[in-house]
Amino acid sequence: VSFSTPRGGVEGNGLDIENSVGYSLGNPLEGVSVTLSVNVTGTDPFGDAGSFSLSASRLLRAGGSSATFLGATAANLLDWGVAVDPTYSAYLSHLASIELAGAEVPVQLVAGYGSDITRSTDGSGDIDDGIFAGVGLGVSENLSAGISLTATQVNAGFSYSLPGTPIGATISVLDILDTTDRRTFAASLGYSF
């Protein structure tokens, strides 16, 4: 469940609530892992809009304390309610660790290309295809921080998993510098098993 404000990054649009449920099959270490999700974006009334998404990942290389994965996602598939165009992305993700203040800290690097990634800087809300990149850092066993970039915006956030539970929370700011006139604050609650 994700809460963001303002809706679509447009000032005065109020709160937006989205819900997503997914299921993963397969193992990316020995074959391909595939995740199918249903995303409900209409909440007033509940369920009046949404879509499906499909993701796949595969281990390319592993050694020592690092691993590199290739992934792809197709989103906004079989949409209902509000019509949205499907989006696609492909990306490389590299997991490693670095020595920091005498401790081993996990790091994730991501780079890719996708449709509807780059928002225009003129405030029009137009979105084009483009590249994206990000870095995540394991701050502690339960806390991580990340920053991501597109050609026009910087996003950052923190994730926290409650110790001993399958519950996690994320807080993020999209377009921190407000270069696209679409700054958005978001909070998500997740449950995985």
Side-chain angles (χ1 to χ4, degrees):
V1 180
S2 297
F3 307 88
S4 62
T5 186
R7 181 188 305 265
V10 178
E11 210 168 312
N13 267 3
L15 181 68
D16 194 16
I17 303 171
E18 296 186 10
N19 304 278
S20 181
V21 176
Y23 189 77
S24 296
L25 299 166
N27 182 338
L29 305 180
E30 299 168 1
V32 176
S33 174
V34 176
T35 301
L36 176 64
S37 300
V38 60
N39 311 293
V40 178
T41 55
T43 56
D44 187 17
F46 181 82
D48 70 334
S51 64
F52 291 87
S53 61
L54 184 66
S55 295
S57 65
R58 168 75 175 133
L59 175 70
L60 294 179
R61 182 186 150 287
S65 61
S66 70
T68 304
F69 292 84
L70 175 64
T73 298
N76 300 331
L77 304 174
L78 304 174
D79 59 312
W80 70 90
V82 179
V84 289
D85 292 332
T87 60
Y88 306 94
S89 60
Y91 37 88
L92 283 173
S93 175
H94 183 71
L95 305 171
S97 62
I98 58 172
E99 195 74 25
L100 193 62
E104 190 173 333
V105 177
V107 176
Q108 180 177 16
L109 304 170
V110 177
Y113 185 86
S115 57
D116 291 351
I117 294 291
T118 306
R119 193 175 291 276
S120 69
T121 58
D122 63 7
S124 67
D126 292 339
I127 304 175
D128 293 318
D129 301 348
I131 59 171
F132 59 90
V135 61
L137 186 68
V139 178
S140 71
E141 185 176 341
N142 299 93
L143 179 67
S144 61
I147 189 164
S148 66
L149 310 164
T150 68
T152 58
Q153 69 186 64
V154 178
N155 313 298
F158 294 92
S159 292
Y160 182 76
S161 59
L162 292 172
T165 73
I167 298 171
T170 301
I171 295 173
S172 58
V173 181
L174 308 177
D175 193 13
I176 293 171
L177 304 175
D178 207 21
T179 55
T180 65
D181 199 26
R182 292 278 200 251
R183 182 182 296 143
T184 305
F185 299 90
S188 301
L189 287 175
Y191 179 85
S192 61
F193 54 92

CSV table of all heavy atoms in Angstrom, one decimal, residues 51-54 73-79 82-89 114-117 127 129:
chain,number,residue,atom,x,y,z
A,51,SER,N,-4.1,-2.1,-13.1
A,51,SER,CA,-3.4,-2.8,-14.2
A,51,SER,C,-2.6,-3.9,-13.6
A,51,SER,O,-2.5,-4.1,-12.4
A,51,SER,CB,-2.4,-1.8,-14.9
A,51,SER,OG,-1.4,-1.3,-14.1
A,52,PHE,N,-1.9,-4.6,-14.5
A,52,PHE,CA,-1.0,-5.7,-14.1
A,52,PHE,C,0.4,-5.4,-14.5
A,52,PHE,O,0.6,-4.6,-15.4
A,52,PHE,CB,-1.4,-7.0,-14.8
A,52,PHE,CG,-2.7,-7.6,-14.3
A,52,PHE,CD1,-3.9,-7.2,-14.9
A,52,PHE,CD2,-2.8,-8.5,-13.3
A,52,PHE,CE1,-5.1,-7.7,-14.5
A,52,PHE,CE2,-4.0,-9.1,-12.9
A,52,PHE,CZ,-5.2,-8.7,-13.4
A,53,SER,N,1.4,-6.0,-13.8
A,53,SER,CA,2.7,-5.8,-14.2
A,53,SER,C,3.4,-7.2,-14.1
A,53,SER,O,3.0,-8.1,-13.4
A,53,SER,CB,3.5,-4.8,-13.3
A,53,SER,OG,3.5,-5.2,-12.0
A,54,LEU,N,4.5,-7.3,-15.0
A,54,LEU,CA,5.2,-8.5,-15.1
A,54,LEU,C,6.7,-8.2,-15.0
A,54,LEU,O,7.2,-7.4,-15.8
A,54,LEU,CB,4.8,-9.3,-16.4
A,54,LEU,CG,5.4,-10.6,-16.6
A,54,LEU,CD1,4.9,-11.6,-15.6
A,54,LEU,CD2,5.1,-11.1,-18.1
A,73,THR,N,11.0,-5.3,-16.9
A,73,THR,CA,9.6,-5.1,-16.3
A,73,THR,C,8.7,-4.6,-17.4
A,73,THR,O,9.1,-3.7,-18.2
A,73,THR,CB,9.6,-4.2,-15.1
A,73,THR,OG1,10.4,-4.7,-14.1
A,73,THR,CG2,8.2,-3.9,-14.6
A,74,ALA,N,7.5,-5.1,-17.5
A,74,ALA,CA,6.4,-4.6,-18.3
A,74,ALA,C,5.3,-4.2,-17.3
A,74,ALA,O,4.9,-5.0,-16.5
A,74,ALA,CB,5.9,-5.6,-19.3
A,75,ALA,N,4.9,-2.9,-17.3
A,75,ALA,CA,3.9,-2.4,-16.4
A,75,ALA,C,2.7,-1.8,-17.1
A,75,ALA,O,2.8,-1.6,-18.3
A,75,ALA,CB,4.5,-1.4,-15.5
A,76,ASN,N,1.6,-1.6,-16.4
A,76,ASN,CA,0.4,-1.0,-16.9
A,76,ASN,C,-0.2,-1.9,-18.0
A,76,ASN,O,-0.8,-1.5,-19.0
A,76,ASN,CB,0.6,0.4,-17.5
A,76,ASN,CG,1.1,1.4,-16.5
A,76,ASN,OD1,0.8,1.2,-15.3
A,76,ASN,ND2,1.9,2.4,-16.9
A,77,LEU,N,-0.1,-3.2,-17.8
A,77,LEU,CA,-0.7,-4.2,-18.7
A,77,LEU,C,-2.1,-4.5,-18.4
A,77,LEU,O,-2.5,-4.5,-17.2
A,77,LEU,CB,0.1,-5.5,-18.7
A,77,LEU,CG,1.6,-5.4,-18.9
A,77,LEU,CD1,2.3,-6.7,-18.7
A,77,LEU,CD2,1.9,-4.9,-20.3
A,78,LEU,N,-3.0,-4.7,-19.4
A,78,LEU,CA,-4.4,-5.1,-19.2
A,78,LEU,C,-5.1,-4.1,-18.2
A,78,LEU,O,-5.8,-4.5,-17.3
A,78,LEU,CB,-4.5,-6.5,-18.7
A,78,LEU,CG,-3.9,-7.6,-19.6
A,78,LEU,CD1,-4.0,-8.9,-18.9
A,78,LEU,CD2,-4.5,-7.6,-20.9
A,79,ASP,N,-4.9,-2.8,-18.5
A,79,ASP,CA,-5.4,-1.8,-17.6
A,79,ASP,C,-6.9,-1.7,-17.7
A,79,ASP,O,-7.5,-2.1,-18.6
A,79,ASP,CB,-4.7,-0.4,-17.9
A,79,ASP,CG,-5.0,0.0,-19.3
A,79,ASP,OD1,-4.8,-0.8,-20.2
A,79,ASP,OD2,-5.4,1.2,-19.5
A,82,VAL,N,-9.0,4.0,-15.7
A,82,VAL,CA,-8.2,5.1,-16.4
A,82,VAL,C,-7.3,4.5,-17.4
A,82,VAL,O,-6.4,3.6,-17.0
A,82,VAL,CB,-7.5,6.0,-15.4
A,82,VAL,CG1,-6.7,7.1,-16.2
A,82,VAL,CG2,-8.5,6.6,-14.4
A,83,ALA,N,-7.3,4.8,-18.7
A,83,ALA,CA,-6.5,4.3,-19.7
A,83,ALA,C,-5.0,4.8,-19.5
A,83,ALA,O,-4.8,6.0,-19.5
A,83,ALA,CB,-7.0,4.6,-21.1
A,84,VAL,N,-4.1,3.9,-19.5
A,84,VAL,CA,-2.7,4.2,-19.4
A,84,VAL,C,-1.9,3.3,-20.4
A,84,VAL,O,-2.3,2.2,-20.6
A,84,VAL,CB,-2.1,4.1,-18.0
A,84,VAL,CG1,-2.6,5.1,-17.0
A,84,VAL,CG2,-2.4,2.7,-17.4
A,85,ASP,N,-0.9,3.9,-21.0
A,85,ASP,CA,0.0,3.1,-21.9
A,85,ASP,C,0.9,2.2,-21.2
A,85,ASP,O,1.4,2.5,-20.1
A,85,ASP,CB,0.8,4.1,-22.8
A,85,ASP,CG,-0.1,4.9,-23.8
A,85,ASP,OD1,-1.2,4.4,-24.1
A,85,ASP,OD2,0.4,6.0,-24.1
A,86,PRO,N,1.1,1.0,-21.7
A,86,PRO,CA,2.1,0.1,-21.1
A,86,PRO,C,3.5,0.7,-21.1
A,86,PRO,O,3.8,1.5,-22.0
A,86,PRO,CB,2.1,-1.1,-22.0
A,86,PRO,CG,0.8,-1.1,-22.7
A,86,PRO,CD,0.5,0.4,-22.9
A,87,THR,N,4.3,0.4,-20.1
A,87,THR,CA,5.7,0.9,-20.0
A,87,THR,C,6.6,-0.3,-19.9
A,87,THR,O,6.2,-1.4,-19.3
A,87,THR,CB,5.9,1.8,-18.8
A,87,THR,OG1,5.6,1.1,-17.6
A,87,THR,CG2,5.1,3.1,-18.9
A,88,TYR,N,7.8,-0.1,-20.3
A,88,TYR,CA,8.8,-1.2,-20.3
A,88,TYR,C,10.1,-0.7,-19.9
A,88,TYR,O,10.5,0.4,-20.1
A,88,TYR,CB,8.9,-1.8,-21.8
A,88,TYR,CG,7.6,-2.2,-22.4
A,88,TYR,CD1,6.9,-1.3,-23.2
A,88,TYR,CD2,7.1,-3.4,-22.1
A,88,TYR,CE1,5.7,-1.7,-23.7
A,88,TYR,CE2,5.8,-3.8,-22.6
A,88,TYR,CZ,5.1,-2.9,-23.4
A,88,TYR,OH,3.9,-3.3,-23.9
A,89,SER,N,10.9,-1.6,-19.2
A,89,SER,CA,12.2,-1.2,-18.8
A,89,SER,C,13.1,-2.4,-18.7
A,89,SER,O,12.6,-3.6,-18.5
A,89,SER,CB,12.2,-0.5,-17.4
A,89,SER,OG,11.7,-1.3,-16.4
A,114,GLY,N,14.3,2.8,-19.9
A,114,GLY,CA,12.9,2.5,-19.9
A,114,GLY,C,12.0,3.5,-20.6
A,114,GLY,O,12.4,4.6,-20.9
A,115,SER,N,10.8,3.1,-20.8
A,115,SER,CA,9.8,4.0,-21.4
A,115,SER,C,9.2,4.8,-20.3
A,115,SER,O,9.0,4.4,-19.2
A,115,SER,CB,8.8,3.3,-22.2
A,115,SER,OG,8.1,2.3,-21.4
A,116,ASP,N,8.8,6.1,-20.6
A,116,ASP,CA,8.1,7.0,-19.7
A,116,ASP,C,8.9,7.1,-18.4
A,116,ASP,O,8.4,7.0,-17.3
A,116,ASP,CB,6.7,6.5,-19.3
A,116,ASP,CG,5.8,6.7,-20.5
A,116,ASP,OD1,6.2,7.3,-21.5
A,116,ASP,OD2,4.7,6.2,-20.5
A,117,ILE,N,10.2,7.4,-18.5
A,117,ILE,CA,11.1,7.6,-17.4
A,117,ILE,C,11.5,9.0,-17.1
A,117,ILE,O,11.6,9.5,-16.0
A,117,ILE,CB,12.5,6.8,-17.6
A,117,ILE,CG1,12.2,5.3,-17.7
A,117,ILE,CG2,13.5,7.1,-16.6
A,117,ILE,CD1,11.8,4.7,-16.4
A,127,ILE,N,6.3,13.0,-20.5
A,127,ILE,CA,7.3,12.0,-20.1
A,127,ILE,C,7.8,11.3,-21.3
A,127,ILE,O,7.0,10.9,-22.2
A,127,ILE,CB,6.7,10.9,-19.1
A,127,ILE,CG1,6.1,11.6,-17.9
A,127,ILE,CG2,7.7,10.0,-18.6
A,127,ILE,CD1,5.3,10.7,-16.9
A,129,ASP,N,11.0,8.5,-23.0
A,129,ASP,CA,11.9,7.3,-22.6
A,129,ASP,C,13.3,7.9,-22.2
A,129,ASP,O,13.6,9.0,-22.6
A,129,ASP,CB,12.0,6.5,-23.9
A,129,ASP,CG,10.7,5.9,-24.4
A,129,ASP,OD1,9.7,6.1,-23.7
A,129,ASP,OD2,10.7,5.4,-25.5
